Amino acid sequence: MTTRRGFLASLLAASTVPKLGWAAAGDPAFLAAARDADGSFALYGVGADGADRFRIPLPARGHAGAVHPTEPLAVAFARRPGTFAVVLDCVTGQTLARLDSPEGRHFMGHGSFSPDGALLYTAENDFVTTRGKIGLWSRSDGWRRIGELESHGIGPHDVQFLPGGQVMAVANGGIETNPAKGREKLNLPVMRPNLSYLSLTGELLEQVELPTEWHRNSIRHLAIGPDGMVAFAMQWEDEPETAPPLLGLHRRGAEPVLADAGEAEHRLMKGYVGSVAISRDGAQVAVSCPRGGRVVVFDTAGNLLHVIPRADVCGLAPMGAGFVLTDGVGGLLQLEAGRLTPLGARARAWDNHAVALRG
């Protein structure tokens, strides 16, 4: 674990380096990985108008990314279970560093910068002990790994910071995996997902578990509202005939709320949420269901607002007064007040996630 003295030194070193803002990379509204028509892979920066701002080649299929809060830097993660991530300069397209997971670990496809941008936090699986880890990587030390924290669960998939930057939320999916067995899920009968809140030093501040009947509802993806509300999206790992709620809403110190779209809609969601996002004003929460071919929008009390049919939709991020959507056939759309507006189509297959720039 990094020391306080070392952390302060890293901040001082970083402050002496001239910095470019995201405007230098064309002011993208969000970043997303894609497979191009020729079979190559790339990370794209896309503006609010739907136009490409940049394209940076990736060595393999990407999943999600982490964007630096103020500078045009991004980290693209390999698809789970992946063992590498690349740090990219989004102005020059240069790969600044390759991060390799330690022996016995693999990345889970997600990570997050600390609000000051000094450290990168990565969700990782220790497949030897089956314990979840959060890796810490220091920018000022040349993206060196400087420590790790316990995730307080199995299979941490996503990690995000709450407003104020002193608490992180971790989606412990509860699923044991091992790269030697590909994407096989090894412990479904006994899985126990949780949502954990950690201090910067890894202290467990609060933990939320699901009711026993939903213990196979893997908590996968997170979105954080401006008031600190956490939306957590789930994927059902049991009989498809069962139709559990797939979105949870939680505020620290309170009981979680499972958003209720009604049994018929839950069945049409087909047990799978690909992405979750909270609108900039904090009033709406959207989930994408690529297997069910729909986007479902709730208010922050968990009440159903809109259902928008769209085949193979998965990428989802806040943009403007609503959301931006991406799909597997190159579609790019804006969603506001339950209505879709096309932003254009591309000759590419967008991957699972769209990552908004903060703001």
Side-chain angles (χ1 to χ4, degrees):
M1 185 59 212
T2 186
T3 64
R4 176 177 172 81
R5 179 178 296 176
F7 180 64
L8 292 175
S10 70
L11 291 180
L12 179 62
S15 68
T16 64
V17 179
K19 298 177 176 63
L20 294 174
W22 277 100
D27 243 351
F30 69 94
L31 276 57
R35 184 185 70 248
D36 287 332
D38 62 1
S40 62
F41 299 96
L43 179 73
Y44 284 90
V46 184
D49 58 357
D52 292 345
R53 297 294 194 259
F54 60 78
R55 177 191 184 277
I56 301 175
L58 294 177
R61 181 178 174 182
H63 185 68
V67 296
H68 193 278
T70 58
E71 299 177 52
L73 301 174
V75 179
F77 292 94
R79 185 173 185 244
R80 178 189 64 83
T83 57
F84 77 90
V86 287
V87 183
L88 304 171
D89 183 323
C90 295
V91 176
T92 67
Q94 179 185 3
T95 297
L96 301 178
R98 174 182 167 123
L99 312 182
D100 293 300
S101 60
E103 185 176 356
R105 309 285 175 83
H106 67 76
F107 293 128
M108 300 295 280
H110 291 264
S112 184
F113 277 100
S114 58
D116 60 12
L119 296 174
L120 175 72
Y121 291 73
T122 55
E124 301 175 7
N125 175 41
D126 181 340
F127 54 84
V128 177
T129 67
T130 74
R131 293 162 63 180
K133 303 289 185 181
I134 305 297
L136 281 69
W137 309 75
S138 170
R139 178 193 176 184
S140 64
D141 289 338
W143 305 103
R144 183 174 64 87
R145 185 185 181 87
I146 60 170
E148 63 183 35
L149 309 174
E150 295 287 334
S151 79
H152 296 275
I154 291 175
H157 193 75
D158 202 355
V159 54
Q160 300 287 337
F161 280 87
L162 271 62
Q166 299 303 301
V167 176
M168 69 188 87
V170 179
N172 284 305
I175 299 174
E176 181 184 341
T177 56
N178 189 311
K181 295 182 179 294
R183 295 173 64 82
E184 183 180 352
K185 300 164 185 176
L186 304 175
N187 68 329
L188 296 185
V190 296
M191 61 180 283
R192 289 183 61 188
N194 70 59
L195 170 65
S196 292
Y197 295 90
L198 311 183
S199 72
L200 297 183
T201 58
E203 177 188 0
L204 179 62
L205 304 174
E206 189 172 352
Q207 190 170 77
V208 175
E209 291 191 326
L210 300 172
T212 303
E213 64 267 31
W214 302 135
H215 82 96
R216 290 180 70 158
N217 219 2
S218 180
I219 298 174
R220 308 286 282 178
H221 298 114
L222 302 174
I224 312 297
D227 64 350
M229 186 190 77
V230 177
F232 56 95
M234 296 172 279
Q235 296 174 5
W236 181 237
E237 301 291 348
D238 207 339
E239 296 298 328
E241 292 78 13
T242 308
L246 297 175
L247 171 67
L249 306 171
H250 185 252
R251 290 179 171 84
R252 290 194 62 201
E255 291 296 314
V257 174
L258 298 182
D260 186 4
E263 184 176 355
E265 182 57 36
H266 288 169
R267 289 184 181 278
L268 291 170
M269 294 166 78
K270 296 190 176 178
Y272 188 97
V273 166
S275 296
V276 60
I278 298 176
S279 59
R280 296 287 191 198
D281 63 3
Q284 298 181 62
V285 185
V287 294
S288 63
C289 305
R291 294 180 182 176
R294 60 217 309 105
V295 173
V296 187
V297 184
F298 299 85
D299 66 19
T300 54
N303 300 308
L304 179 66
L305 297 177
H306 309 289
V307 177
I308 301 94
R310 180 71 185 186
D312 200 21
V313 63
C314 197
L316 182 63
M319 192 173 78
F323 305 92
V324 64
L325 317 178
T326 62
D327 64 35
V329 293
L332 186 63
L333 307 103
Q334 188 165 12
L335 171 61
E336 289 188 6
R339 294 187 298 273
L340 285 179
T341 301
L343 295 176
R346 304 287 185 272
R348 65 188 68 136
W350 295 108
D351 220 298
N352 297 59
H353 298 286
V355 181
L357 273 71
R358 298 178 189 175

